[in-house]
Amino acid sequence: MAYAQDAQDGQHEPGFGEIVVTAQRRAQAVSDIPIAVTALGGAELERAGIQNTQDLTYIAPNMRMSTFYPGRAEISIRGVAMSESFLSTDQQPVGVYQEEVFQGSRLVHMSQLFDLERVEIVRGPQGVLFGRNTTAGALSFYAKKPEDEFGGYASFGYGNYDAFVLEGAVNVPLGGGFSARVSGNYKQDDGWARNVFTGARIMDSSSRGLRGILQYEGAATTWILNVHESRYNGDVNYYFSSDIPGYAFNELGQRSPEAPEVIDAFGSSLTGTFSIGDVDVTSITAYEESQYFAYEDFGHGPTDINNAGQFAQFNPFMIGYTDDFYQVSQEFRFAGSLGRLEWVAGVFGYYEKVNSTYSDGAYGRGTIGLDFNENGVIDVPDEGWFPEDDSRIWKQTTKEAAIFAHGNYALSDQFSILGGLRYTYSKKELDWQYTDMLSGFDYVPKTHLQKSWNSLTARAGVEYRPNTDILLYGRYDRGFKNGGFNVGGSNAASLAIVDPEKVDAFEVGGKFTFLDGRAQLNTAVFLTKIRDYQANLNVVTTSGLGFAFQNAAKVESKGFELELNMEPVDDLKLSGSFGYTDSKFKEYYDPISDTDYSGNYIPNTPKYSLAASAEYTFTLPGDYRIIPRADYSYTSRMQSRHYNRPYESYDPRNLVNAQLAFIFPGEVLSVTGWVKNLTNLKYWTKIIGEPQFAGGLMEKRGTPRTYGLTLRSTW
């Protein structure tokens, strides 16, 4: 779905227009790229009501997101997914980028989704130009850049559950080639669920994001400094029920009075573009950091923690996470042309450090006051109870260097061939221990592991343009996801090295423009084969809940997708997408449980997905406008976990959103009424059942019907 960026300026041009994207590290229209990519401009993001990454999955075909903790979202594309991903060192198959900077921490993926120029969703492995950890695809966010005129906007939205959103931006020209743009947003709500025992509202959240961009444009150079920070404070609550056959419990509803999740993030990047002779040079220097803290009541007692932060029942079971994450990266890119050859080459360096704890423990005996300190550790009273607090503590560093080259050679005006290579060297070091943080007893003393990997990724393809309205292509991609360590175990034997995940992907597709430029149809058929697929399993032990991070043998995913954007008549915009994915474990034997999962479906992957939207602009006398819009999405039944147990599958989902906007002349003011999940559908975003440990089914519910009003002023 790629509508023109100028959709908000009040000027209509026939046709839907196109967004210029940089999915191949050079500016191209979507219809000119031999890659399956969905691009959304800032105006389309606003009209579609996109406020988070989850909303994007209702638009792009064959893309899904599962979330148990908002700060640890699991994104899948084309059946390449990772489930049970709770730990900081888990590597996702979808690379997330902000201003072309790889975001190694999932904690910041949703922190800067405001005042955007565009979003690009690239499907399929991107091992040459994007590098590691893009075996499924890449998701890129681009902020609006400063302009040479004073301007800006401010908006205020209010909805049910006492939710409100403040957002705005100011653009200031500074003279001498300098300009600046400052933007930010603040969100808050009181929670859409209640604890069934206490009656207290839960699932509440608040968040803020700030961004400042300083740009210098000279005669032959541009430099952009981006400084940003964010904070999220939310609730990781979930439903607890007994839908598991053989367990005679009733639906208990939301359980914990308090289950906080707090994320703080800060980062900066400096991007420069200039020329050396006929070669265009791009330099990207970046630093990112984030801190994370979360805990939850896993024992499901009705009043385990009262409003004063005190335990009031015997044997609640707590799980806590803390993370401190830091990364530094540098990329130099060079681009040019030699006759019929267009080429891009570069070098990339990356350093990452993460300090983490994963703690679980049982506590009992009476009403005892306690709290977590700033490091996520329980402040323990001296008497009156019998605690246990088992913690896995680790520090992991990653060092990476890569060199890459990519080219497109025109054999004729119709035929082109393309290819690229990337060599990556990566080294990881881990210090890990398993200890009782209350007594100081080490179950496993501090252990040091290190491992390095070398990977060569590649791309090869062909393009054919019979005319200017048709692009046909076929390509092969080799991608990889970096190796790592199993840090979620509970003994020395579980501390294993996990091999890199390797992907071979084949794709053929076409892009067709018709109706005199008023319509565009994009199609793609794909086959993805994965070796050493990295899988996570929950492992229940006598001391608590652990994780087993291991390699499955083989996965195969195949399917196709369609995307259609059109403006059949003036002022009527229609768009739709359809995706089909058949993704299964071809070979997967788990030695821990002595179970063969071969033939099971990959989690978080519906076989069918459908999205559609329609909007029409009514122009009134005086140049006032009324724009109604409706959005619909459907996903078929899919599995929450690789076990494929019936009680851990999602039912088919039909979601409907609608809005009505009233626009004043010159875009100086707009008033929009909106509703999401119009039918108030009850659905799930994550389901986990561990009857032998938790005694029931943990369900993360999707947001019920929300509605509200948004005022926006532009100057």
Side-chain angles (χ1 to χ4, degrees):
M1 300 184 180
Y3 288 112
Q5 285 288 97
D6 60 0
Q8 289 186 314
D9 64 6
Q11 302 299 317
H12 176 81
E13 294 183 5
F16 57 89
E18 278 198 281
I19 298 173
V20 174
V21 298
T22 55
Q24 292 196 126
R25 299 311 194 203
R26 52 193 174 96
Q28 294 174 286
V30 172
S31 60
D32 292 332
I33 302 177
I35 297 174
V37 55
T38 298
L40 297 162
E44 175 68 4
L45 292 168
E46 181 186 349
R47 292 199 304 268
I50 303 298
Q51 296 185 353
N52 52 56
T53 308
Q54 181 77 59
D55 292 338
L56 292 173
T57 66
Y58 303 136
I59 293 178
N62 288 329
M63 175 181 172
R64 286 291 155 263
M65 189 178 86
S66 173
T67 174
F68 200 73
Y69 299 96
R72 300 186 186 278
E74 303 162 5
I75 306 174
S76 66
I77 294 179
R78 290 181 171 177
V80 183
M82 187 178 194
S83 67
E84 309 303 307
S85 181
F86 296 108
L87 304 181
S88 60
T89 48
D90 293 341
Q91 301 170 129
Q92 300 304 298
V94 178
V96 176
Y97 295 78
Q98 293 181 7
E99 307 303 317
E100 300 189 28
V101 176
F102 174 71
Q103 302 296 308
S105 170
R106 285 180 291 165
L107 305 179
V108 299
H109 287 180
M110 297 184 290
S111 65
Q112 295 290 313
L113 301 189
F114 58 91
D115 195 32
L116 293 177
E117 175 188 291
R118 70 184 188 277
V119 175
E120 300 177 15
I121 304 168
V122 184
R123 296 182 290 279
Q126 305 299 314
V128 173
L129 293 175
F130 287 84
R132 66 169 175 119
N133 296 357
T134 56
T135 49
L139 176 59
S140 299
F141 299 94
Y142 296 88
K144 287 185 179 178
K145 304 303 184 294
E147 300 173 345
D148 58 4
E149 293 184 1
F150 178 79
Y153 72 92
S155 69
F156 172 75
Y158 182 80
N160 57 335
Y161 305 112
D162 294 322
F164 68 86
V165 179
L166 293 170
E167 182 174 315
V170 177
N171 191 92
V172 182
L174 302 175
F178 287 93
S179 56
R181 187 178 185 92
V182 179
S183 57
N185 75 346
Y186 180 81
K187 302 178 183 179
Q188 180 175 304
D189 67 81
D190 288 346
W192 50 263
R194 292 187 183 274
N195 180 279
V196 296
F197 294 99
T198 67
R201 274 196 178 188
I202 50 179
M203 301 299 291
D204 57 306
S205 67
S206 64
S207 66
R208 72 162 189 264
L210 294 172
R211 182 193 305 126
I213 300 178
L214 178 66
Q215 178 173 278
Y216 170 75
E217 284 193 284
T221 185
T222 300
W223 290 90
I224 300 174
L225 175 65
N226 182 317
V227 181
H228 46 271
E229 74 91 32
S230 63
R231 179 177 176 84
Y232 172 85
N233 191 337
D235 190 339
V236 296
N237 249 301
Y238 47 81
Y239 274 77
F240 179 61
S241 66
S242 60
D243 296 338
I244 301 177
Y247 287 80
F249 296 92
N250 296 317
E251 173 76 28
L252 298 179
Q254 300 280 353
R255 302 310 309 281
S256 302
E258 183 181 6
E261 181 181 40
V262 181
I263 305 170
D264 288 296
F266 171 83
S268 60
S269 64
L270 178 64
T271 302
T273 56
F274 52 93
S275 297
I276 301 177
D278 294 330
V279 177
D280 297 326
V281 182
T282 300
S283 170
I284 305 174
T285 307
Y287 170 81
E288 299 283 345
E289 67 174 57
S290 57
Q291 292 78 42
Y292 180 82
F293 165 61
Y295 73 86
E296 61 172 299
D297 166 18
F298 203 64
H300 315 299
T303 56
D304 290 342
I305 305 177
N306 62 29
N307 290 332
Q310 298 175 323
F311 286 119
Q313 291 283 322
F314 179 78
N315 196 34
F317 189 85
M318 304 295 293
I319 290 180
Y321 304 87
T322 66
D323 297 319
D324 286 306
F325 181 93
Y326 308 89
Q327 74 172 62
V328 179
S329 62
Q330 174 65 55
E331 179 170 282
F332 291 106
R333 264 198 330 264
F334 309 90
S337 59
L338 292 172
R340 291 179 171 268
L341 174 67
E342 293 184 328
W343 59 271
V344 177
V347 294
F348 176 75
Y350 180 83
Y351 174 80
E352 170 188 300
K353 180 176 73 173
V354 57
N355 300 312
S356 297
T357 62
Y358 164 57
S359 305
D360 53 51
Y363 309 86
R365 285 269 187 194
T367 303
I368 305 295
L370 70 146
D371 202 356
F372 283 77
N373 65 29
E374 62 182 6
N375 297 316
V377 180
I378 295 275
D379 287 329
V380 185
D382 294 330
E383 57 185 1
W385 65 313
F386 303 97
E388 175 188 332
D389 186 23
D390 298 338
S391 295
R392 300 150 184 89
I393 307 169
W394 67 89
K395 179 179 74 173
Q396 178 178 283
T397 59
T398 302
K399 300 175 183 178
E400 180 178 307
I403 183 170
F404 59 90
H406 183 276
N408 186 305
Y409 185 81
L411 298 173
S412 67
D413 292 340
Q414 287 78 37
F415 285 98
S416 297
I417 56 175
L418 59 92
L421 292 172
R422 186 184 189 107
Y423 172 79
T424 302
Y425 170 81
S426 181
K427 180 180 181 180
K428 289 190 174 183
E429 296 189 54
L430 176 74
D431 290 312
W432 184 91
Q433 71 184 93
Y434 184 33
T435 185
D436 186 328
M437 295 181 71
L438 301 177
S439 68
F441 175 76
D442 286 336
Y443 299 105
V444 181
K446 182 181 289 186
T447 303
H448 180 80
L449 290 178
Q450 66 179 42
K451 179 68 174 177
S452 60
W453 296 274
N454 298 276
S455 296
L456 184 65
T457 50
R459 166 173 291 176
V462 60
E463 303 176 33
Y464 173 58
R465 288 186 172 276
N467 55 57
T468 57
D469 292 330
I470 298 176
L471 168 65
L472 304 175
Y473 68 90
R475 78 172 204 268
Y476 161 79
D477 284 283
R478 161 68 63 87
F480 88 106
K481 190 166 69 170
N482 219 355
F485 309 105
N486 177 34
V487 298
S490 55
N491 53 57
S494 68
L495 191 61
I497 295 174
V498 179
D499 292 330
E501 180 180 288
K502 304 177 184 67
V503 175
D504 293 294
F506 306 86
E507 179 180 325
V508 294
K511 301 191 175 185
F512 309 89
T513 303
F514 53 101
L515 293 182
D516 294 327
R518 288 181 174 268
Q520 182 178 313
L521 174 66
N522 301 331
T523 66
V525 179
F526 62 88
L527 171 64
T528 303
K529 296 186 175 184
I530 307 176
R531 292 173 290 146
D532 295 323
Y533 176 91
Q534 295 174 357
N536 258 327
L537 296 85
N538 282 159
V539 179
V540 179
T541 69
T542 56
S543 62
L545 179 64
F547 301 97
F549 182 42
Q550 59 185 223
N551 293 111
K554 294 180 181 179
V555 166
E556 183 175 286
S557 180
K558 56 182 180 291
F560 66 89
E561 53 212 16
L562 306 171
E563 283 188 290
L564 176 65
N565 299 294
M566 63 188 307
E567 187 175 358
V569 297
D570 289 353
D571 300 318
L572 175 62
K573 289 183 170 64
L574 304 174
S575 63
S577 66
F578 178 79
Y580 168 82
T581 303
D582 182 15
S583 185
K584 295 179 180 179
F585 291 104
K586 299 295 288 184
E587 297 178 16
Y588 185 14
Y589 170 73
D590 174 29
I592 298 176
S593 62
D594 189 25
T595 304
D596 189 351
Y597 295 111
S598 300
N600 280 16
Y601 288 102
I602 299 297
N604 203 30
T605 304
K607 182 163 286 190
Y608 304 101
S609 60
L610 174 68
S613 69
E615 68 173 60
Y616 188 83
T617 300
F618 296 91
T619 302
L620 307 179
D623 202 27
Y624 292 91
R625 288 178 290 154
I626 295 177
I627 306 177
R629 178 186 173 106
D631 294 88
Y632 167 78
S633 68
Y634 166 81
T635 54
S636 61
R637 182 178 296 276
M638 56 181 165
Q639 299 297 322
S640 175
R641 310 173 79 192
H642 72 278
Y643 306 108
N644 285 195
R645 297 186 285 222
Y647 51 81
E648 289 179 324
S649 66
Y650 304 112
D651 292 332
R653 180 187 309 169
N654 293 271
L655 290 176
V656 179
N657 300 334
Q659 67 176 38
L660 180 65
F662 184 80
I663 315 295
F664 284 71
E667 304 278 345
V668 296
L669 181 67
S670 66
V671 182
T672 303
W674 51 265
V675 57
K676 290 189 173 184
N677 192 1
L678 179 65
T679 63
N680 202 25
L681 179 71
K682 177 181 175 181
Y683 67 98
W684 296 263
T685 62
K686 191 69 178 180
I687 303 174
I688 296 178
E690 295 294 350
Q692 72 275 34
F693 178 61
L697 194 65
M698 295 166 284
E699 303 169 334
K700 193 72 172 183
R701 296 282 172 86
T703 305
R705 177 169 51 227
T706 56
Y707 51 86
L709 195 69
T710 299
L711 304 178
R712 179 184 173 106
S713 176
T714 303
W715 62 87

